[in-house]
Amino acid sequence: MPASGTTGLTKDAGWEIGVSKTLPLPADAVWDFIASPEGVALWLGVVDGLPTEKGARYETADGVTGEVRSHRPGDRIRVTYGGTTVQVAVSATGPGKTVLRFHQEHLADAGERERRRTHWKAVMERVAGELRT
């Protein structure tokens, strides 16, 4: 059980980090980008066609391997990434407003959590920048 006040440490998923941002776009536009090869390259890495079938394996150009845990079009993609699990989720919050969330769990320790926080914030800014253009 996590110690009281230990931010980011959970009983079931170990160390985790989540980053979210509300974007001034409809959910389908955000989903279409985040699930596209260009969008996947920003949050997962360059993949020669990320599969959508549960259990399907993938490998990034950088050699990271994993498998698809779930792929719900318009909602979320969940994959293993090395020894961790990464999820990207899209949720409409109103007309022309969408929350984009990145979540990663099973991180090694608090130090890795902070490094991944920096990583996901940078990814979010790149994605938001691409969506603005």
Side-chain angles (χ1 to χ4, degrees):
M1 188 85 143
S4 178
T6 306
T7 303
L9 181 58
T10 68
K11 180 179 175 185
D12 298 327
W15 289 96
E16 63 182 6
I17 187 64
V19 173
S20 65
K21 184 176 185 95
T22 300
L23 301 167
L25 295 163
D28 59 343
V30 176
W31 176 263
D32 288 348
F33 178 74
I34 211 67
S36 74
E38 297 80 16
V40 169
L42 291 177
W43 65 268
L44 185 64
V46 176
V47 177
D48 186 21
L50 182 65
T52 58
E53 306 81 31
K54 183 176 181 175
R57 307 274 313 154
Y58 73 88
E59 182 172 356
T60 69
D62 293 335
V64 177
T65 61
E67 76 174 41
V68 175
R69 291 292 171 98
S70 67
H71 186 279
R72 296 194 319 225
D75 181 39
R76 70 189 66 231
I77 301 169
R78 188 169 171 84
V79 297
T80 61
Y81 181 85
T84 70
T85 301
V86 172
Q87 177 174 280
V88 59
V90 174
S91 304
T93 59
K97 288 174 60 176
T98 302
V99 174
L100 175 61
R101 292 180 180 87
F102 294 108
H103 184 263
Q104 189 171 15
E105 56 192 40
H106 303 295
L107 302 172
D109 53 33
E112 184 179 14
R113 180 180 187 270
E114 288 309 308
R115 288 188 297 279
R116 299 312 289 172
R117 176 198 307 275
T118 299
H119 167 79
W120 290 116
K121 284 183 173 184
V123 167
M124 186 67 78
E125 289 310 309
R126 287 194 304 271
V127 168
E130 289 294 320
L131 286 167
R132 280 193 289 268
T133 59

